[in-house]
Amino acid sequence: MKRIFLSLFVIAAMAFSSEVYAQKNPMVGGAAMYANKDIVDNAVNSKDHTTLVAAVKAAGLVETLKSAGPFTVFAPTNAAFDKLPAGTVDMLVKPENKATLTTILTYHVVAGKMGSKEIAAAIKAGGGKAELTTVQGGKLWAWMEGKALMLKDEKGGMSKVTIADVFQSNGVIHVVDTVLMPK
């Protein structure tokens, strides 16, 4: 009996320690995201965020997202960008569309460091829905559907957070499955 208990304790301890490690440096797009690196330095290593990284570069936002922040970034995956109408991304990254691209990208950023605990507290304080103001100046709405954190944009589009709490030296990233659009 003691041996079974000890074995279960060891298994539980190993699971807990690997869970803590996973939270410290979670994997996103096949790469570890290190808490001591900034948002850009981590994002460039995620194979799931190559479109976002290219867009951030085209919009001239690299230095901003490397600054002290802190920022909360709702980071769309390549698959999220693929949901947009054909040709949209190619059109947005053209130099003549830099202002529009910047508007869309900064709509995915909230000033401050809002991990899932802070977002949950805002949802609770809002009676089940939190209104977040983006760096772009628009609004996003957050709520829970079961265990899933959901976001709604100003055009009525919805996005699900697929990986939460990817902490960075200058903020936090929450990976989302749909590009959010301002008015």
Side-chain angles (χ1 to χ4, degrees):
M1 186 64 141
K2 283 183 181 179
R3 203 175 260 178
I4 293 171
F5 176 75
L6 183 58
S7 295
L8 290 174
F9 178 76
V10 169
I11 291 168
M14 288 171 52
F16 177 74
S17 65
S18 67
E19 181 178 285
V20 169
Y21 178 77
Q23 290 174 356
K24 187 173 181 184
N25 298 309
M27 298 294 286
V28 176
M33 299 289 114
Y34 296 100
N36 64 339
K37 290 187 176 185
D38 64 51
I39 290 167
V40 174
D41 288 345
N42 271 320
V44 297
N45 294 316
S46 169
K47 67 178 173 51
D48 292 343
H49 290 89
T50 57
T51 304
L52 177 61
V53 169
V56 166
K57 288 177 181 178
L61 293 172
V62 171
E63 289 307 311
T64 300
L65 292 175
K66 287 182 76 56
S67 71
F71 306 104
T72 300
V73 177
F74 296 102
T77 60
N78 295 341
F81 281 102
D82 290 345
K83 291 180 182 179
L84 295 173
T88 301
V89 174
D90 292 335
M91 185 251 333
L92 286 171
V93 296
K94 290 182 179 178
E96 61 267 25
N97 297 318
K98 183 177 177 179
T100 302
L101 179 61
T102 300
T103 297
I104 293 168
L105 292 176
T106 57
Y107 187 69
H108 288 79
V109 181
V110 173
K113 190 174 188 177
M114 292 190 76
S116 59
K117 288 180 184 176
E118 290 79 14
I119 294 172
I123 291 169
K124 184 177 179 182
K129 191 173 271 189
E131 184 176 277
L132 308 174
T133 301
T134 70
V135 170
Q136 177 266 350
K139 302 288 184 193
L140 289 174
W141 294 270
W143 72 96
M144 298 300 297
E145 281 188 9
K147 292 185 178 191
L149 175 58
M150 302 297 296
L151 299 167
K152 182 177 177 184
D153 64 29
E154 292 176 333
K155 290 193 173 186
M158 293 200 286
S159 187
K160 178 180 171 183
V161 172
T162 58
I163 302 173
D165 295 334
V166 184
F167 291 102
Q168 321 284 297
S169 64
N170 61 344
V172 59
I173 291 174
H174 302 287
V175 178
V176 295
D177 69 353
T178 304
V179 175
L180 299 159
M181 295 300 236
K183 282 185 180 179

